[in-house]
Amino acid sequence: MKQILLGVILLSVFSCKTEREQLNLSQGLHISNVTIITTEDGNYNPYIGHIIVDNDSIVLVSKNEPHIKGNYEKIDGTGKFIIPGLIDSHVHITEVQGMLPHHMEKYPELTKEFNSQMPRSYLYYGFTTLINLGGISEEQIASFNSQPAKPDLFHTGNSGAPVANGYPMNFAPEEFRFEAAPNFIYLESEAANTPDKFEPSNHTPKAVVERIKKSGAIAVKSYFESGFRGMPKLPVPTKGIMSNLQEETRSNGLVLIVHGNSLESHSFLSDVGVDVLAHGLWNWEKYKDVPTDSLPLEIKQTLDLQIQKQIGYMPTLTVIAGEEALADDDFFKQHELKKVVPQKLLDWYKTEEGQWFAKELFGEYSAAEVHEIYGNIQAHAMLALKYLSYNNGLLLFGTDTPSAPTYGNQPGINGFWELRLMEEAGVPLDKILSSATINNAKMFHLDASIGSLTKGKKANMLLLEKNPLQNINAYNTIENIFIGGKNIKRTDLEVKQ
Ligand SMILES: [Zn+2]
């Protein structure tokens, strides 16, 4: 018996060594001798191996070189690194950066040029999946998807789920705001300010979530914002409404993401236990003037609750940087902007008209004053993020591009800036990579098809010259972007001059 067992063991060891996997590809890709960087659980063990793709899927990830027949392209990955395509789970692709709707109407050519470059700019910086968190129409989805090279797009329906007259409905004039937010949630306290033609029963959390689900959304976006920058006090959801919205969202198989960046909102939303916070905790309210090197106890306790409940946390540090950029004379000197933003639009930003938002935000402030105010907010945002990251909070990469009508949040490159800011905040490089890949994929129930380099998943991958676990600037050394197995050279995605 012993001898038979030994024989079986020897045979299996022997067969492992000699038997090369046989593959017959129809439309294949073989990336050989490449350092494979992928994780399912946040731990990375990079190794040199081979990735084989057929049509749009990964068919083999292995240390051993397989035997391949059929039709395929071979790419020598020696000295290079391969990672899953990046996922930005907080974007707004319905905007033209720096413009309001009336600007877009006035300059249809700029709008058109921007919209045909924008999906390419996201791919240029490695973003192969985007989640649009806000209203999007079927026409806008179709127009994005009609572009020849584009990331995979997911969304949260025709509108977010704000409470009646709450943020961000407050930005629209009263006569349009209800039509513009078909998924608003009825609030008893706003009954007098809600037009009669909107039936309360069509605006319960249940009715709203069902409508959002029907529109093909993967998540529900809601808001807790009592106002900022001199806004009048805004209505906010009650605990009952938010809990109900969370229950309805889960029972429909969706994910609830809620806007909030203040201590008040983070504390409320952590208490309810929503799935995801759409922003970091940077508005420290009564603690706003405390030194930027330690966390007040109340902030720490709020973050601890988020860690304990494993609430997804999107740092969105570029929200702050993207506004601050409007006071920065050197912003347009960054030559890489020319690769992702059409030149005519860059020129328009510098005109009197293009500076409208800069004037509105910072009219009476000097650049030095702006940098002091925003520097303080960013330091708080980074401190909260560092704490969360060192205590096993659940980080989800999200930029909020663009977070406001600012030209400081350009598609694709804003994601690269976000990655750099996360590193500056002290988030370890492995956690940065998993936040933009497997964590987002799992949270949004996309991990059966994306988020890691695994057999059977969609071939959304990036080939890099440098190692992103060693240097944050590696994300700017992408050579090839693979989307659904299609190989795109990075330089082919640049703005055509
Ligand atoms: Zn947003």
Side-chain angles (χ1 to χ4, degrees):
M1 185 63 186
K2 257 189 186 164
Q3 247 176 348
I4 296 171
L5 259 182
L6 193 66
V8 170
I9 290 166
L10 277 176
L11 192 70
S12 59
V13 169
F14 184 70
S15 64
C16 274
K17 272 197 173 159
T18 55
E19 201 181 280
R20 286 166 74 197
E21 189 128 4
Q22 302 276 333
L23 293 167
N24 197 353
L25 307 180
S26 60
Q27 179 98 46
L29 193 64
H30 174 195
I31 305 171
S32 63
N33 297 309
V34 67
T35 300
I36 298 168
I37 302 178
T38 184
T39 185
E40 299 299 327
D41 60 5
N43 298 305
Y44 285 92
N45 298 296
Y47 61 92
I48 294 175
H50 301 263
I51 294 203
I52 320 294
V53 171
D54 201 18
N55 299 308
D56 62 353
S57 305
I58 299 171
V59 293
L60 184 75
V61 183
S62 171
K63 281 184 183 164
N64 303 319
E65 182 162 2
H67 189 75
I68 310 174
K69 285 194 294 192
N71 173 33
Y72 68 99
E73 177 192 0
K74 188 166 178 179
I75 296 172
D76 182 7
T78 307
K80 296 176 186 174
F81 304 85
I82 194 153
I83 61 171
L86 304 178
I87 305 167
D88 187 342
S89 55
H90 190 163
V91 301
H92 301 274
I93 61 137
T94 50
E95 319 284 321
V96 174
Q97 270 66 342
M99 287 189 162
L100 286 175
H102 71 87
H103 296 124
M104 295 183 220
E105 255 168 58
K106 186 172 169 189
Y107 300 105
E109 284 304 312
L110 289 183
T111 302
K112 202 174 148 208
E113 237 186 283
F114 175 86
N115 281 330
S116 70
Q117 175 58 39
M118 176 260 292
R120 304 157 56 83
S121 298
Y122 277 111
L123 289 177
Y124 183 87
Y125 277 98
F127 295 95
T128 53
T129 303
L130 303 177
I131 306 180
N132 190 77
L133 295 191
I136 192 166
S137 67
E138 274 168 37
E139 295 74 45
Q140 285 167 321
I141 295 169
S143 153
F144 183 91
N145 285 336
S146 73
Q147 301 293 335
K150 63 191 184 287
D152 296 333
L153 177 67
F154 297 91
H155 63 88
T156 55
N158 305 125
S159 83
V163 289
N165 294 310
Y167 181 90
M169 280 178 87
N170 62 304
F171 289 121
E174 275 168 52
E175 61 270 37
F176 306 124
R177 65 171 61 151
F178 288 88
E179 272 81 6
N183 298 320
F184 80 87
I185 293 173
Y186 182 80
L187 256 193
E188 201 65 62
S189 56
E190 286 296 313
N193 307 317
T194 303
D196 290 339
K197 65 173 172 176
F198 295 97
E199 188 61 51
S201 63
N202 282 331
H203 292 276
T204 60
K206 185 179 167 64
V208 163
V209 172
E210 278 169 5
R211 211 153 47 233
I212 290 173
K213 163 122 183 168
K214 230 182 241 168
S215 68
I218 62 163
V220 173
K221 173 84 184 286
S222 193
Y223 310 83
F224 187 103
E225 179 61 68
S226 57
F228 54 84
R229 220 185 280 135
M231 278 175 202
K233 194 106 174 107
L234 298 171
V236 288
T238 60
K239 266 200 180 141
I241 285 179
M242 192 53 79
S243 302
N244 195 205
L245 188 60
Q246 177 65 77
E247 272 165 43
E248 292 297 335
T249 300
R250 279 198 195 141
S251 66
N252 278 282
L254 304 182
V255 180
L256 180 63
I257 308 151
V258 190
H259 161 100
N261 52 48
S262 62
L263 176 56
E264 180 197 22
S265 62
H266 272 240
S267 154
F268 172 91
L269 297 167
S270 311
D271 199 26
V272 171
V274 300
D275 293 322
V276 180
L277 298 157
H279 297 288
L281 203 181
W282 62 66
N283 178 354
W284 287 11
E285 295 169 338
K286 62 182 179 241
Y287 304 108
K288 76 177 171 52
D289 295 318
V290 303
T292 52
D293 57 358
S294 69
L295 284 176
L297 184 63
E298 206 181 341
I299 304 272
K300 187 177 162 298
Q301 285 169 337
T302 303
L303 296 171
D304 283 338
L305 193 54
Q306 296 171 8
I307 295 163
Q308 186 208 320
K309 295 189 177 180
Q310 287 291 289
I311 295 174
Y313 186 101
M314 295 177 175
T316 65
L317 300 170
T318 46
V319 170
I320 302 156
E323 287 189 6
E324 194 179 353
L326 298 180
D328 188 353
D329 289 340
D330 290 338
F331 180 77
F332 293 109
K333 289 187 186 150
Q334 304 174 89
H335 71 279
E336 293 193 315
L337 275 174
K338 292 184 197 299
K339 296 183 179 172
V340 289
V341 188
Q343 185 60 46
K344 280 184 212 145
L345 186 58
L346 287 173
D347 292 339
W348 182 76
Y349 291 145
K350 294 181 216 164
T351 64
E352 179 86 10
E353 194 179 25
Q355 287 289 313
W356 72 274
F357 192 52
K359 262 179 256 157
E360 193 180 296
L361 271 186
F362 304 136
E364 67 273 33
Y365 291 93
S366 71
E369 285 169 318
V370 170
H371 291 313
E372 199 194 324
I373 297 166
Y374 278 72
N376 192 51
I377 299 172
Q378 191 66 287
H380 285 162
M382 285 185 171
L383 207 57
L385 173 57
K386 186 178 181 185
Y387 180 80
L388 214 92
S389 122
Y390 276 88
N391 292 282
N392 293 316
L394 178 54
L395 300 186
L396 304 179
F397 183 89
T399 54
D400 196 8
T401 303
S403 60
T406 171
Y407 56 69
N409 292 144
Q410 292 295 338
I413 195 166
N414 201 47
F416 177 57
W417 292 334
E418 179 77 26
L419 291 162
R420 281 208 309 214
L421 286 170
M422 288 173 81
E423 197 246 1
E424 205 183 301
V427 182
L429 291 169
D430 56 347
K431 293 198 178 189
I432 293 179
L433 180 55
S434 49
S435 79
T437 52
I438 194 70
N439 291 5
N440 263 336
K442 282 185 179 166
M443 175 55 79
F444 293 98
H445 311 150
L446 300 171
D447 55 318
S449 64
I450 56 168
S452 63
L453 303 175
T454 313
K455 181 179 172 177
K457 287 199 185 185
K458 194 172 176 197
N460 286 1
M461 327 182 283
L462 310 174
L463 187 65
L464 314 174
E465 195 192 315
K466 299 223 164 76
N467 184 347
L469 297 181
Q470 283 174 357
N471 186 341
I472 196 72
N473 291 313
Y475 291 102
N476 205 10
T477 68
I478 298 170
E479 293 186 346
N480 299 69
I481 294 98
F482 304 93
I483 176 112
K486 189 177 164 203
N487 177 7
I488 307 175
K489 258 177 46 199
R490 191 191 197 197
T491 46
D492 290 343
L493 295 164
E494 285 176 15
V495 171
K496 291 189 186 84
Q497 297 298 344

mmCIF file with all atom_site columns, all heavy atoms in Angstrom, residues 90-92 133-134 167 221 223 259 278-279 316 319 399-404, ligand 1:
data_model
loop_
_atom_site.group_PDB
_atom_site.id
_atom_site.type_symbol
_atom_site.label_atom_id
_atom_site.label_alt_id
_atom_site.label_comp_id
_atom_site.label_asym_id
_atom_site.label_entity_id
_atom_site.label_seq_id
_atom_site.pdbx_PDB_ins_code
_atom_site.Cartn_x
_atom_site.Cartn_y
_atom_site.Cartn_z
_atom_site.occupancy
_atom_site.B_iso_or_equiv
_atom_site.pdbx_formal_charge
_atom_site.auth_seq_id
_atom_site.auth_comp_id
_atom_site.auth_asym_id
_atom_site.auth_atom_id
_atom_site.pdbx_PDB_model_num
ATOM   1   N  N   . HIS A 1 90  ? -16.343 56.802 -8.589  1.00 0.00 ? 90  HIS A N   1
ATOM   2   C  CA  . HIS A 1 90  ? -17.061 58.065 -8.380  1.00 0.00 ? 90  HIS A CA  1
ATOM   3   C  C   . HIS A 1 90  ? -16.692 59.074 -9.465  1.00 0.00 ? 90  HIS A C   1
ATOM   4   O  O   . HIS A 1 90  ? -15.755 59.855 -9.305  1.00 0.00 ? 90  HIS A O   1
ATOM   5   C  CB  . HIS A 1 90  ? -16.748 58.634 -6.992  1.00 0.00 ? 90  HIS A CB  1
ATOM   6   C  CG  . HIS A 1 90  ? -17.626 59.789 -6.593  1.00 0.00 ? 90  HIS A CG  1
ATOM   7   N  ND1 . HIS A 1 90  ? -17.736 60.221 -5.285  1.00 0.00 ? 90  HIS A ND1 1
ATOM   8   C  CD2 . HIS A 1 90  ? -18.432 60.606 -7.319  1.00 0.00 ? 90  HIS A CD2 1
ATOM   9   C  CE1 . HIS A 1 90  ? -18.572 61.253 -5.239  1.00 0.00 ? 90  HIS A CE1 1
ATOM   10  N  NE2 . HIS A 1 90  ? -18.992 61.512 -6.454  1.00 0.00 ? 90  HIS A NE2 1
ATOM   11  N  N   . VAL A 1 91  ? -17.433 59.042 -10.561 1.00 0.00 ? 91  VAL A N   1
ATOM   12  C  CA  . VAL A 1 91  ? -17.224 60.041 -11.617 1.00 0.00 ? 91  VAL A CA  1
ATOM   13  C  C   . VAL A 1 91  ? -18.581 60.590 -12.071 1.00 0.00 ? 91  VAL A C   1
ATOM   14  O  O   . VAL A 1 91  ? -19.635 60.036 -11.736 1.00 0.00 ? 91  VAL A O   1
ATOM   15  C  CB  . VAL A 1 91  ? -16.486 59.453 -12.858 1.00 0.00 ? 91  VAL A CB  1
ATOM   16  C  CG1 . VAL A 1 91  ? -15.130 58.899 -12.482 1.00 0.00 ? 91  VAL A CG1 1
ATOM   17  C  CG2 . VAL A 1 91  ? -17.333 58.397 -13.566 1.00 0.00 ? 91  VAL A CG2 1
ATOM   18  N  N   . HIS A 1 92  ? -18.505 61.682 -12.824 1.00 0.00 ? 92  HIS A N   1
ATOM   19  C  CA  . HIS A 1 92  ? -19.693 62.271 -13.456 1.00 0.00 ? 92  HIS A CA  1
ATOM   20  C  C   . HIS A 1 92  ? -19.323 62.529 -14.912 1.00 0.00 ? 92  HIS A C   1
ATOM   21  O  O   . HIS A 1 92  ? -18.656 63.513 -15.209 1.00 0.00 ? 92  HIS A O   1
ATOM   22  C  CB  . HIS A 1 92  ? -20.083 63.569 -12.758 1.00 0.00 ? 92  HIS A CB  1
ATOM   23  C  CG  . HIS A 1 92  ? -20.389 63.377 -11.301 1.00 0.00 ? 92  HIS A CG  1
ATOM   24  N  ND1 . HIS A 1 92  ? -21.639 63.004 -10.861 1.00 0.00 ? 92  HIS A ND1 1
ATOM   25  C  CD2 . HIS A 1 92  ? -19.611 63.451 -10.192 1.00 0.00 ? 92  HIS A CD2 1
ATOM   26  C  CE1 . HIS A 1 92  ? -21.619 62.878 -9.537  1.00 0.00 ? 92  HIS A CE1 1
ATOM   27  N  NE2 . HIS A 1 92  ? -20.398 63.143 -9.103  1.00 0.00 ? 92  HIS A NE2 1
ATOM   28  N  N   . LEU A 1 133 ? -21.852 58.452 -10.622 1.00 0.00 ? 133 LEU A N   1
ATOM   29  C  CA  . LEU A 1 133 ? -22.678 58.618 -9.424  1.00 0.00 ? 133 LEU A CA  1
ATOM   30  C  C   . LEU A 1 133 ? -23.508 59.882 -9.502  1.00 0.00 ? 133 LEU A C   1
ATOM   31  O  O   . LEU A 1 133 ? -23.175 60.897 -8.906  1.00 0.00 ? 133 LEU A O   1
ATOM   32  C  CB  . LEU A 1 133 ? -21.804 58.690 -8.169  1.00 0.00 ? 133 LEU A CB  1
ATOM   33  C  CG  . LEU A 1 133 ? -20.992 57.474 -7.776  1.00 0.00 ? 133 LEU A CG  1
ATOM   34  C  CD1 . LEU A 1 133 ? -20.428 57.654 -6.374  1.00 0.00 ? 133 LEU A CD1 1
ATOM   35  C  CD2 . LEU A 1 133 ? -21.833 56.213 -7.820  1.00 0.00 ? 133 LEU A CD2 1
ATOM   36  N  N   . GLY A 1 134 ? -24.591 59.822 -10.232 1.00 0.00 ? 134 GLY A N   1
ATOM   37  C  CA  . GLY A 1 134 ? -25.463 60.982 -10.337 1.00 0.00 ? 134 GLY A CA  1
ATOM   38  C  C   . GLY A 1 134 ? -26.379 60.717 -11.503 1.00 0.00 ? 134 GLY A C   1
ATOM   39  O  O   . GLY A 1 134 ? -26.332 59.636 -12.084 1.00 0.00 ? 134 GLY A O   1
ATOM   40  N  N   . TYR A 1 167 ? -29.803 68.769 -0.935  1.00 0.00 ? 167 TYR A N   1
ATOM   41  C  CA  . TYR A 1 167 ? -28.635 68.753 -1.807  1.00 0.00 ? 167 TYR A CA  1
ATOM   42  C  C   . TYR A 1 167 ? -28.713 67.528 -2.699  1.00 0.00 ? 167 TYR A C   1
ATOM   43  O  O   . TYR A 1 167 ? -29.041 66.466 -2.212  1.00 0.00 ? 167 TYR A O   1
ATOM   44  C  CB  . TYR A 1 167 ? -27.389 68.702 -0.932  1.00 0.00 ? 167 TYR A CB  1
ATOM   45  C  CG  . TYR A 1 167 ? -26.081 68.696 -1.674  1.00 0.00 ? 167 TYR A CG  1
ATOM   46  C  CD1 . TYR A 1 167 ? -25.455 69.888 -1.994  1.00 0.00 ? 167 TYR A CD1 1
ATOM   47  C  CD2 . TYR A 1 167 ? -25.466 67.490 -2.022  1.00 0.00 ? 167 TYR A CD2 1
ATOM   48  C  CE1 . TYR A 1 167 ? -24.230 69.883 -2.664  1.00 0.00 ? 167 TYR A CE1 1
ATOM   49  C  CE2 . TYR A 1 167 ? -24.249 67.492 -2.700  1.00 0.00 ? 167 TYR A CE2 1
ATOM   50  C  CZ  . TYR A 1 167 ? -23.649 68.682 -3.012  1.00 0.00 ? 167 TYR A CZ  1
ATOM   51  O  OH  . TYR A 1 167 ? -22.455 68.681 -3.672  1.00 0.00 ? 167 TYR A OH  1
ATOM   52  N  N   . LYS A 1 221 ? -27.467 56.434 -5.366  1.00 0.00 ? 221 LYS A N   1
ATOM   53  C  CA  . LYS A 1 221 ? -26.701 57.538 -4.777  1.00 0.00 ? 221 LYS A CA  1
ATOM   54  C  C   . LYS A 1 221 ? -27.643 58.426 -3.993  1.00 0.00 ? 221 LYS A C   1
ATOM   55  O  O   . LYS A 1 221 ? -28.668 58.876 -4.503  1.00 0.00 ? 221 LYS A O   1
ATOM   56  C  CB  . LYS A 1 221 ? -26.049 58.358 -5.903  1.00 0.00 ? 221 LYS A CB  1
ATOM   57  C  CG  . LYS A 1 221 ? -25.360 59.651 -5.447  1.00 0.00 ? 221 LYS A CG  1
ATOM   58  C  CD  . LYS A 1 221 ? -23.952 59.416 -4.947  1.00 0.00 ? 221 LYS A CD  1
ATOM   59  C  CE  . LYS A 1 221 ? -23.286 60.672 -4.396  1.00 0.00 ? 221 LYS A CE  1
ATOM   60  N  NZ  . LYS A 1 221 ? -22.877 61.625 -5.414  1.00 0.00 ? 221 LYS A NZ  1
ATOM   61  N  N   . TYR A 1 223 ? -27.729 61.489 -0.457  1.00 0.00 ? 223 TYR A N   1
ATOM   62  C  CA  . TYR A 1 223 ? -26.972 62.656 0.029   1.00 0.00 ? 223 TYR A CA  1
ATOM   63  C  C   . TYR A 1 223 ? -27.338 62.975 1.468   1.00 0.00 ? 223 TYR A C   1
ATOM   64  O  O   . TYR A 1 223 ? -28.502 62.897 1.848   1.00 0.00 ? 223 TYR A O   1
ATOM   65  C  CB  . TYR A 1 223 ? -27.294 63.886 -0.836  1.00 0.00 ? 223 TYR A CB  1
ATOM   66  C  CG  . TYR A 1 223 ? -27.161 63.614 -2.322  1.00 0.00 ? 223 TYR A CG  1
ATOM   67  C  CD1 . TYR A 1 223 ? -28.213 63.019 -3.028  1.00 0.00 ? 223 TYR A CD1 1
ATOM   68  C  CD2 . TYR A 1 223 ? -25.988 63.924 -3.007  1.00 0.00 ? 223 TYR A CD2 1
ATOM   69  C  CE1 . TYR A 1 223 ? -28.101 62.733 -4.384  1.00 0.00 ? 223 TYR A CE1 1
ATOM   70  C  CE2 . TYR A 1 223 ? -25.865 63.644 -4.360  1.00 0.00 ? 223 TYR A CE2 1
ATOM   71  C  CZ  . TYR A 1 223 ? -26.924 63.050 -5.048  1.00 0.00 ? 223 TYR A CZ  1
ATOM   72  O  OH  . TYR A 1 223 ? -26.809 62.768 -6.387  1.00 0.00 ? 223 TYR A OH  1
ATOM   73  N  N   . HIS A 1 259 ? -23.447 60.745 -0.277  1.00 0.00 ? 259 HIS A N   1
ATOM   74  C  CA  . HIS A 1 259 ? -22.603 61.928 -0.201  1.00 0.00 ? 259 HIS A CA  1
ATOM   75  C  C   . HIS A 1 259 ? -22.559 62.442 1.234   1.00 0.00 ? 259 HIS A C   1
ATOM   76  O  O   . HIS A 1 259 ? -23.596 62.541 1.893   1.00 0.00 ? 259 HIS A O   1
ATOM   77  C  CB  . HIS A 1 259 ? -23.185 63.021 -1.120  1.00 0.00 ? 259 HIS A CB  1
ATOM   78  C  CG  . HIS A 1 259 ? -22.687 64.405 -0.807  1.00 0.00 ? 259 HIS A CG  1
ATOM   79  N  ND1 . HIS A 1 259 ? -21.687 65.017 -1.530  1.00 0.00 ? 259 HIS A ND1 1
ATOM   80  C  CD2 . HIS A 1 259 ? -23.032 65.286 0.172   1.00 0.00 ? 259 HIS A CD2 1
ATOM   81  C  CE1 . HIS A 1 259 ? -21.444 66.219 -1.022  1.00 0.00 ? 259 HIS A CE1 1
ATOM   82  N  NE2 . HIS A 1 259 ? -22.254 66.409 0.014   1.00 0.00 ? 259 HIS A NE2 1
ATOM   83  N  N   . ALA A 1 278 ? -19.438 58.559 0.015   1.00 0.00 ? 278 ALA A N   1
ATOM   84  C  CA  . ALA A 1 278 ? -18.928 59.032 -1.281  1.00 0.00 ? 278 ALA A CA  1
ATOM   85  C  C   . ALA A 1 278 ? -17.752 59.995 -1.156  1.00 0.00 ? 278 ALA A C   1
ATOM   86  O  O   . ALA A 1 278 ? -17.130 60.355 -2.155  1.00 0.00 ? 278 ALA A O   1
ATOM   87  C  CB  . ALA A 1 278 ? -20.048 59.684 -2.077  1.00 0.00 ? 278 ALA A CB  1
ATOM   88  N  N   . HIS A 1 279 ? -17.445 60.432 0.076   1.00 0.00 ? 279 HIS A N   1
ATOM   89  C  CA  . HIS A 1 279 ? -16.316 61.351 0.300   1.00 0.00 ? 279 HIS A CA  1
ATOM   90  C  C   . HIS A 1 279 ? -15.648 61.045 1.626   1.00 0.00 ? 279 HIS A C   1
ATOM   91  O  O   . HIS A 1 279 ? -16.248 60.444 2.511   1.00 0.00 ? 279 HIS A O   1
ATOM   92  C  CB  . HIS A 1 279 ? -16.806 62.811 0.350   1.00 0.00 ? 279 HIS A CB  1
ATOM   93  C  CG  . HIS A 1 279 ? -17.413 63.272 -0.925  1.00 0.00 ? 279 HIS A CG  1
ATOM   94  N  ND1 . HIS A 1 279 ? -16.679 63.528 -2.047  1.00 0.00 ? 279 HIS A ND1 1
ATOM   95  C  CD2 . HIS A 1 279 ? -18.711 63.503 -1.258  1.00 0.00 ? 279 HIS A CD2 1
ATOM   96  C  CE1 . HIS A 1 279 ? -17.480 63.911 -3.023  1.00 0.00 ? 279 HIS A CE1 1
ATOM   97  N  NE2 . HIS A 1 279 ? -18.727 63.883 -2.585  1.00 0.00 ? 279 HIS A NE2 1
ATOM   98  N  N   . THR A 1 316 ? -11.676 60.770 -2.195  1.00 0.00 ? 316 THR A N   1
ATOM   99  C  CA  . THR A 1 316 ? -11.924 61.920 -3.102  1.00 0.00 ? 316 THR A CA  1
ATOM   100 C  C   . THR A 1 316 ? -11.132 63.171 -2.703  1.00 0.00 ? 316 THR A C   1
ATOM   101 O  O   . THR A 1 316 ? -11.675 64.263 -2.615  1.00 0.00 ? 316 THR A O   1
ATOM   102 C  CB  . THR A 1 316 ? -13.441 62.273 -3.217  1.00 0.00 ? 316 THR A CB  1
ATOM   103 O  OG1 . THR A 1 316 ? -13.946 62.730 -1.967  1.00 0.00 ? 316 THR A OG1 1
ATOM   104 C  CG2 . THR A 1 316 ? -14.267 61.097 -3.696  1.00 0.00 ? 316 THR A CG2 1
ATOM   105 N  N   . VAL A 1 319 ? -11.275 66.440 -4.757  1.00 0.00 ? 319 VAL A N   1
ATOM   106 C  CA  . VAL A 1 319 ? -12.349 67.433 -4.644  1.00 0.00 ? 319 VAL A CA  1
ATOM   107 C  C   . VAL A 1 319 ? -11.743 68.738 -4.122  1.00 0.00 ? 319 VAL A C   1
ATOM   108 O  O   . VAL A 1 319 ? -12.000 69.826 -4.647  1.00 0.00 ? 319 VAL A O   1
ATOM   109 C  CB  . VAL A 1 319 ? -13.465 66.943 -3.687  1.00 0.00 ? 319 VAL A CB  1
ATOM   110 C  CG1 . VAL A 1 319 ? -14.441 68.060 -3.377  1.00 0.00 ? 319 VAL A CG1 1
ATOM   111 C  CG2 . VAL A 1 319 ? -14.193 65.738 -4.274  1.00 0.00 ? 319 VAL A CG2 1
ATOM   112 N  N   . THR A 1 399 ? -12.811 59.378 -7.302  1.00 0.00 ? 399 THR A N   1
ATOM   113 C  CA  . THR A 1 399 ? -12.248 60.725 -7.441  1.00 0.00 ? 399 THR A CA  1
ATOM   114 C  C   . THR A 1 399 ? -13.284 61.841 -7.360  1.00 0.00 ? 399 THR A C   1
ATOM   115 O  O   . THR A 1 399 ? -12.961 62.956 -7.027  1.00 0.00 ? 399 THR A O   1
ATOM   116 C  CB  . THR A 1 399 ? -11.558 60.874 -8.809  1.00 0.00 ? 399 THR A CB  1
ATOM   117 O  OG1 . THR A 1 399 ? -12.490 60.526 -9.828  1.00 0.00 ? 399 THR A OG1 1
ATOM   118 C  CG2 . THR A 1 399 ? -10.331 59.992 -8.897  1.00 0.00 ? 399 THR A CG2 1
ATOM   119 N  N   . ASP A 1 400 ? -14.539 61.533 -7.761  1.00 0.00 ? 400 ASP A N   1
ATOM   120 C  CA  . ASP A 1 400 ? -15.540 62.576 -7.966  1.00 0.00 ? 400 ASP A CA  1
ATOM   121 C  C   . ASP A 1 400 ? -15.060 63.555 -9.047  1.00 0.00 ? 400 ASP A C   1
ATOM   122 O  O   . ASP A 1 400 ? -14.884 64.742 -8.797  1.00 0.00 ? 400 ASP A O   1
ATOM   123 C  CB  . ASP A 1 400 ? -15.845 63.327 -6.663  1.00 0.00 ? 400 ASP A CB  1
ATOM   124 C  CG  . ASP A 1 400 ? -17.140 64.135 -6.771  1.00 0.00 ? 400 ASP A CG  1
ATOM   125 O  OD1 . ASP A 1 400 ? -17.846 63.981 -7.787  1.00 0.00 ? 400 ASP A OD1 1
ATOM   126 O  OD2 . ASP A 1 400 ? -17.437 64.897 -5.847  1.00 0.00 ? 400 ASP A OD2 1
ATOM   127 N  N   . THR A 1 401 ? -14.853 63.010 -10.245 1.00 0.00 ? 401 THR A N   1
ATOM   128 C  CA  . THR A 1 401 ? -14.415 63.821 -11.387 1.00 0.00 ? 401 THR A CA  1
ATOM   129 C  C   . THR A 1 401 ? -15.594 64.192 -12.263 1.00 0.00 ? 401 THR A C   1
ATOM   130 O  O   . THR A 1 401 ? -16.213 63.295 -12.819 1.00 0.00 ? 401 THR A O   1
ATOM   131 C  CB  . THR A 1 401 ? -13.418 63.005 -12.254 1.00 0.00 ? 401 THR A CB  1
ATOM   132 O  OG1 . THR A 1 401 ? -12.322 62.586 -11.425 1.00 0.00 ? 401 THR A OG1 1
ATOM   133 C  CG2 . THR A 1 401 ? -12.900 63.819 -13.416 1.00 0.00 ? 401 THR A CG2 1
ATOM   134 N  N   . PRO A 1 402 ? -15.980 65.447 -12.449 1.00 0.00 ? 402 PRO A N   1
ATOM   135 C  CA  . PRO A 1 402 ? -15.553 66.593 -11.654 1.00 0.00 ? 402 PRO A CA  1
ATOM   136 C  C   . PRO A 1 402 ? -16.524 66.801 -10.492 1.00 0.00 ? 402 PRO A C   1
ATOM   137 O  O   . PRO A 1 402 ? -17.716 66.569 -10.621 1.00 0.00 ? 402 PRO A O   1
ATOM   138 C  CB  . PRO A 1 402 ? -15.672 67.745 -12.654 1.00 0.00 ? 402 PRO A CB  1
ATOM   139 C  CG  . PRO A 1 402 ? -16.856 67.359 -13.514 1.00 0.00 ? 402 PRO A CG  1
ATOM   140 C  CD  . PRO A 1 402 ? -16.887 65.845 -13.538 1.00 0.00 ? 402 PRO A CD  1
ATOM   141 N  N   . SER A 1 403 ? -15.984 67.285 -9.391  1.00 0.00 ? 403 SER A N   1
ATOM   142 C  CA  . SER A 1 403 ? -16.794 67.423 -8.175  1.00 0.00 ? 403 SER A CA  1
ATOM   143 C  C   . SER A 1 403 ? -17.624 68.696 -8.193  1.00 0.00 ? 403 SER A C   1
ATOM   144 O  O   . SER A 1 403 ? -18.561 68.846 -7.426  1.00 0.00 ? 403 SER A O   1
ATOM   145 C  CB  . SER A 1 403 ? -15.871 67.447 -6.967  1.00 0.00 ? 403 SER A CB  1
ATOM   146 O  OG  . SER A 1 403 ? -14.985 68.542 -7.085  1.00 0.00 ? 403 SER A OG  1
ATOM   147 N  N   . ALA A 1 404 ? -17.242 69.620 -9.045  1.00 0.00 ? 404 ALA A N   1
ATOM   148 C  CA  . ALA A 1 404 ? -17.914 70.922 -9.166  1.00 0.00 ? 404 ALA A CA  1
ATOM   149 C  C   . ALA A 1 404 ? -17.611 71.372 -10.592 1.00 0.00 ? 404 ALA A C   1
ATOM   150 O  O   . ALA A 1 404 ? -16.807 70.731 -11.269 1.00 0.00 ? 404 ALA A O   1
ATOM   151 C  CB  . ALA A 1 404 ? -17.316 71.891 -8.144  1.00 0.00 ? 404 ALA A CB  1
HETATM 152 ZN ZN  . ZN  B 2 .   ? -19.944 63.310 -7.040  1.00 0.00 ? 1   ZN  B ZN  1
#
